[in-house]
């Protein structure tokens, strides 16, 4: 654990990420609900590149704000954890010229329990994803027990089992810029199949 890592929580629900707000599948980071990691990878990319953090901090025990970008685009991520996770991604054009920006969110889930996550993850069982126009459900089944995580988005984009992509275009730049918002949320649950 690094001092710059972000951990926010509400009871047994918590999100542990690096200072950029991202989660790497190789680390013990992720979104945990009832001692199970429902997101083992969570990365925001702008035009195919990771966002460099300028500021990253907890606002209170259950929320965090990450601000990053470059001289042309600012990215703000406001994250909340309570009975699931909610994150607003706000992208702002800092130039006077109209431009289009590709926003991509990459995600995965290994459904590892806390101990498995510390040991490198969970490779056992069957994992799959079901994509709809504004949501993706990540599934995992092992020894008759099925768990799922729903990622819901407020904007239409291209969704598959590992990423959501959307292009945001600004025709007119105004002082202060324009913004586009994505709101993914994640909730976990499980059912026993007989």
């Amino acid at each position: 654990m690094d001092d710059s890592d972000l951990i926010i929580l509400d009871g047994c629900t918590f999100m542990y990420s690096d200072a950029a707000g991202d989660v790497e599948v190789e680390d013990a980071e992720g979104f945990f609900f009832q001692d199970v990691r429902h997101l083992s990878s969570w990365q925001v990319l702008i035009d195919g590149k990771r966002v460099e953090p300028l500021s990253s901090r907890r606002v209170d025990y259950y929320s965090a704000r990450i601000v990053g970008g470059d001289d042309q685009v600012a990215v703000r991520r406001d994250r909340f954890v309570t009975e699931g996770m909610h994150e607003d991604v706000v992208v702002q054009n800092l130039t006077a010229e109209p431009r289009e920006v590709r926003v991509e969110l990459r995600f995965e889930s290994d459904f590892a329990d806390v101990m498995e996550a510390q040991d490198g993850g969970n490779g056992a069982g069957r994992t799959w994803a079901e994509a709809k126009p504004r949501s993706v459900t990540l599934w995992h089944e092992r020894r008759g027990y099925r768990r799922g995580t729903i990622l819901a988005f407020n904007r239409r984009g291209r969704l598959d089992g590992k990423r959501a992509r959307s292009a945001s275009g600004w025709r007119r730049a105004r002082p202060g810029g324009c913004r586009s918002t994505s709101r993914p949320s994640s909730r976990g649950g499980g059912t026993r199949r007989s």
Side-chain angles (χ1 to χ4, degrees), residues 11 24 38 56 88 94 107-108 118 123 141 146 162 171:
E24 300 289 337
H38 285 260
S56 175
D88 292 329
L94 301 176
F107 47 83
E108 278 186 65
Q118 292 174 354
E141 188 169 19
R146 180 183 289 181
K162 297 213 182 253
R171 294 186 190 151

Side-chain angles (χ1 to χ4, degrees), residues 1-146:
M1 182 169 151
D2 187 324
D3 286 342
S4 63
D5 289 347
L6 286 174
I7 300 173
I8 57 175
L9 61 101
D10 181 38
C12 294
T13 303
F14 67 95
M15 178 68 164
Y16 172 19
S17 69
D18 65 16
D22 292 336
V23 172
E24 300 289 337
V25 73
E26 301 87 32
D27 299 326
E29 302 171 340
F31 169 63
F32 291 81
F33 177 74
Q34 296 180 345
D35 294 333
V36 173
R37 181 164 60 183
H38 285 260
L39 289 172
S40 54
S41 179
W42 186 258
Q43 298 173 327
V44 172
L45 303 172
I46 303 296
D47 289 332
K49 299 177 193 161
R50 290 189 62 177
V51 178
E52 286 298 316
L54 300 171
S55 171
S56 175
R57 66 179 179 85
R58 281 186 308 277
V59 176
D60 48 43
Y61 67 93
Y62 64 90
S63 66
R65 173 170 280 177
I66 302 107
V67 177
D70 56 27
D71 61 339
Q72 297 184 6
V73 174
V75 179
R76 186 182 81 223
R77 297 169 72 177
D78 292 321
R79 177 178 295 160
F80 306 89
V81 169
T82 178
E83 295 183 18
M85 185 185 81
H86 173 94
E87 184 167 311
D88 292 329
V89 179
V90 179
V91 180
Q92 185 175 12
N93 180 4
L94 301 176
T95 69
E97 301 298 318
R99 68 174 290 163
E100 184 172 292
V101 175
R102 287 184 333 273
V103 179
E104 181 176 343
L105 173 63
R106 292 184 183 168
F107 47 83
E108 278 186 65
S109 182
D110 63 0
F111 293 94
D113 65 35
V114 173
M115 299 307 288
E116 289 171 328
Q118 292 174 354
D119 291 336
N122 171 20
R126 184 173 78 103
T127 303
W128 71 98
E130 295 172 356
K132 294 181 181 175
R134 286 193 176 181
S135 68
V136 173
T137 304
L138 305 175
W139 291 104
H140 183 79
E141 188 169 19
R142 177 169 56 169
R143 292 188 294 251
Y145 190 75
R146 180 183 289 181

